[in-house]
């Protein structure tokens, strides 16, 4: 199913991790929206926080004895993100494979 159409993906309650992020003025593009690089960094912060919870008991330490490789990153934009605002990234594991797993995340305001 297209993640943009999945009602569970559109609810913050569906994600086990809630990671708050504060939009900064420097995140704005020329049109006054949060730029795509800033939004990607919000997701990256949440992904790393989730990985630390799963693999290092929540400690922000370098990963040892294994390596993560981001094979694919896909962001579906559903609406404009504005400044000023505090956002929450909901994040969880969407699928577990034999040698990989998929992070699933959504950005929420209010």
């Amino acid at each position: 199913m297209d993640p943009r159409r999945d009602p569970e993906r559109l609810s913050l309650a569906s994600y086990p991790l809630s990671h708050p992020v504060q939009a900064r003025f420097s995140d704005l593009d020329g049109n006054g929206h949060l730029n795509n690089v800033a939004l990607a960094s919000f997701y990256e912060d949440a992904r790393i926080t989730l990985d630390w919870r799963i693999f290092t008991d929540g400690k922000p330490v370098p990963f040892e004895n294994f390596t993560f490789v981001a094979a694919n990153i896909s962001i579906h934009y559903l609406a404009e993100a504005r400044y000023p605002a505090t956002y929450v990234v909901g994040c969880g594991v969407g699928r577990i494979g034999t040698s990989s797993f998929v992070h699933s995340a959504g950005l929420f305001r209010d």
Side-chain angles (χ1 to χ4, degrees):
M1 172 181 271
D2 182 345
R4 294 170 285 185
R5 308 273 187 262
D6 184 350
E8 286 193 29
R9 295 283 307 271
L10 301 176
S11 170
L12 180 58
S14 297
Y15 299 91
L17 172 75
S18 293
H19 183 76
V21 290
Q22 183 66 45
R24 303 169 306 171
F25 182 78
S26 61
D27 295 332
L28 294 176
D29 64 17
N31 295 318
H33 310 122
L34 296 181
N35 70 52
N36 58 344
V37 175
L39 295 175
S41 74
F42 294 174
Y43 289 118
E44 184 73 4
D45 283 348
R47 183 185 67 79
I48 291 299
T49 300
L50 179 66
D51 288 348
W52 283 340
R53 284 191 183 180
I54 294 170
F55 298 107
T56 68
D57 296 324
K59 299 177 187 121
V61 296
F63 297 107
E64 297 175 0
N65 302 322
F66 60 93
T67 302
F68 283 109
V69 176
N72 181 42
I73 297 173
S74 178
I75 300 174
H76 300 277
Y77 298 97
L78 305 181
E80 297 170 348
R82 299 266 182 193
Y83 171 87
T86 300
Y87 292 89
V88 176
V89 179
C91 191
V93 175
R95 184 180 58 79
I96 299 174
T98 57
S99 63
S100 66
F101 63 98
V102 173
H103 290 93
S104 293
L107 182 67
F108 300 88
R109 179 178 175 186
D110 302 326

